[in-house]
Amino acid sequence: MSSSPDHDEAHNGALGSRLNWLRAAVLGANDGIVSTAGLVVGVAGATDDRSALLTAGLAGLLAGSMSMAAGEYVSVSTQRDSEKAALAMERRELRESPEAELAELTGLLMERGLSEELAREAAVQLTERDALRAHARVELGIDPDELTNPWHAAWASFFAFTAGALLPLLAIVLPPASARLYVTVGSVLAALALTGWWSARLGSAPARRAVLRNVGGGAVAMGVTYGAGVLLGAVGV
C-alpha cells in the first residue's frame, strides 16, 4: 500500500512538467507568429517584391528562434544552478546537523496539516528512506531526479518559435501579390485564436478573454507595422 502515494506523486509531477512544456511551446509558437507576422506585413506595406519579403521573413525567423533559444538556455541554466546550490546546502546541513533537520522536516509536515506525533513519525521514516530527497521535495520543492534541463528548454523554444514563424512567412510569399496580405492576416489571426484558446485551456483560464487578447494584440501589431511600411514606402525609404 505504501507504494501508491509515491506513484501518484511522480505521476502528478510528471503531468505538471508536461503541462509546463506544452504551455511554453504554445507561448513560443505564439511569439513566432506575432513577431514574424508584424515583420513581413510591415515589409509588405513598403514593397510587394517576393524576394524582399522572403529575406525579411527568414531573417526574422532565424533571429527570433535563436534569441528565444539563447534566452531560454541562460534562464534555465541559472535556475538549474540555483537548484544544485540549494541541494548542496541541504546535503551539508543534513551531514552537520541531522537532528535540527529532522525537527525542521517535522515542522514542515505539521504545517501541511499533520499532527505533531504523525509528522514526527513521517519525518523519521522519510529521513531513513532518503533524507535529501525528503527535504528537497518538502522544503525546497525540488525533485533531485528531475532538475531543469537548459538544452531541452532551448531546443523547445527554438522549434516552437520556428513553427509559429513559418505560418506568416509561407502565407506572405506563396500566394499571388494581390492576395498575400489578406491570406497572411487571416491565417495569422486564426492561428492566434487557436494558440490563445490552447493557452487558456492549459492554464484553466477563460478561453474567450485569452482569444480576444491574443487576436487583438496580433491585429494591432500587424496594423502598426503595416502602417509604418506604407509610410516608409511612400517616402521612398
Side-chain angles (χ1 to χ4, degrees):
M1 296 295 291
S2 61
S3 62
S4 295
D6 290 339
H7 173 75
D8 290 340
E9 182 179 1
H11 176 76
N12 291 336
L15 177 60
S17 179
R18 285 196 297 270
L19 289 177
N20 285 336
W21 281 115
L22 283 172
R23 188 176 295 111
V26 171
L27 294 177
N30 192 78
D31 287 344
I33 294 170
V34 174
S35 61
T36 307
L39 177 61
V40 296
V41 167
V43 175
T47 178
D48 60 358
D49 182 70
R50 192 186 302 269
S51 296
L53 293 169
L54 179 60
T55 300
L58 282 176
L61 184 155
L62 291 174
S65 59
M66 294 300 295
S67 175
M68 288 282 290
E72 196 70 14
Y73 180 84
V74 171
S75 174
V76 175
S77 293
T78 301
Q79 179 182 345
R80 185 182 179 89
D81 290 344
S82 298
E83 291 173 345
K84 286 184 174 181
L87 289 173
M89 180 179 295
E90 197 63 40
R91 190 179 290 109
R92 184 175 65 253
E93 291 175 348
L94 285 168
R95 183 176 60 253
E96 296 176 353
S97 52
E99 287 301 321
E101 290 299 299
L102 180 62
E104 182 182 30
L105 183 58
T106 300
L108 291 170
L109 293 174
M110 290 175 61
E111 291 177 1
R112 298 191 175 192
L114 297 182
S115 66
E116 182 177 359
E117 181 180 356
L118 184 57
R120 177 73 180 185
E121 180 181 352
V124 169
Q125 292 185 15
L126 289 171
T127 299
E128 291 176 349
R129 182 175 181 179
D130 192 327
L132 179 61
R133 185 182 303 277
H135 280 267
R137 289 183 172 178
V138 177
E139 180 182 349
L140 305 175
I142 298 174
D143 186 345
D145 296 327
E146 295 291 338
L147 296 182
T148 52
N149 189 313
W151 284 109
H152 290 172
W155 282 113
S157 295
F158 177 87
F159 286 119
F161 187 97
T162 299
L166 281 174
L167 173 67
L169 175 58
L170 295 176
I172 203 72
V173 299
L174 293 182
S178 60
R180 63 173 53 129
L181 188 60
Y182 301 105
V183 171
T184 302
V185 171
S187 60
V188 165
L189 294 182
L192 290 177
L194 178 61
T195 56
W197 173 82
W198 197 0
S199 63
R201 182 177 177 85
L202 290 173
S204 301
R208 177 182 175 84
R209 184 181 305 171
V211 169
L212 291 176
R213 182 169 56 236
N214 227 29
V215 172
V220 170
M222 288 187 290
V224 170
T225 56
Y226 180 75
V230 170
L231 180 62
L232 291 173
V235 298
V237 177

